[in-house]
Amino acid sequence: QVQLQESGPGLVKPSQTLSLTCTVSGGSITTSYSYWNWIRQPPGKGVEWIGYIAATGTTYYSPSLKSRTSISRDTSKNQFTLQLSSVTPEDAAVYYCARRFDTGAAIAKGAYDYWGQGTQVTVSS
């Protein structure tokens, strides 16, 4: 059973960089053909795909967030990390990490086989 767990600060100040880590257990982030994604859902709004890091280490980001997004990984810890810079209150959301075995952006829950429970991020001074 693969488990994903998000961690990071729940409160970030405007203009700062949001950093969240997803710790994976029961499976490896280097498993062939796996894609490790970040997705978010702002309050009262729809789900938004942020980006992924593939098992190969290749990254791909949403065009609307690309200039502010970086996803990296630590294979020794089986973790991958999201950094979102220059945050504004519009970046407040529940952030999820999730796995799928297909490339490309996806927001449907069924597109992923495993999800983290999500972590709430507030942007406020």
Side-chain angles (χ1 to χ4, degrees):
Q1 180 80 359
V2 176
Q3 294 184 323
L4 294 85
Q5 178 67 58
E6 305 90 348
S7 61
L11 177 64
V12 183
K13 294 182 179 180
S15 80
Q16 291 189 340
T17 296
L18 164 67
S19 183
L20 297 174
T21 295
C22 183
T23 300
V24 180
S25 59
S28 173
I29 62 173
T30 61
T31 296
S32 296
Y33 309 112
S34 61
Y35 295 83
W36 302 87
N37 294 257
W38 287 100
I39 302 110
R40 69 182 184 180
Q41 185 165 22
K45 298 183 179 180
V47 175
E48 181 178 23
W49 178 79
I50 301 170
Y52 67 66
I53 186 163
T56 58
T58 300
T59 55
Y60 184 66
Y61 306 124
S62 168
S64 65
L65 296 170
K66 182 178 181 179
S67 64
R68 300 193 292 125
T69 304
S70 177
I71 299 175
S72 59
R73 66 180 183 176
D74 185 336
T75 57
S76 68
K77 295 181 180 179
N78 215 31
Q79 296 175 332
F80 61 107
T81 297
L82 168 69
Q83 291 192 308
L84 184 66
S85 63
S86 304
V87 298
T88 72
E90 291 189 349
D91 293 309
V94 178
Y95 284 75
Y96 299 90
C97 54
R99 185 187 81 170
R100 68 195 298 242
F101 283 94
D102 198 358
T103 186
I107 59 172
K109 188 173 183 179
Y112 300 88
D113 59 352
Y114 290 102
W115 289 75
Q117 64 182 19
T119 187
Q120 176 74 53
V121 174
T122 300
V123 180
S124 175
S125 56

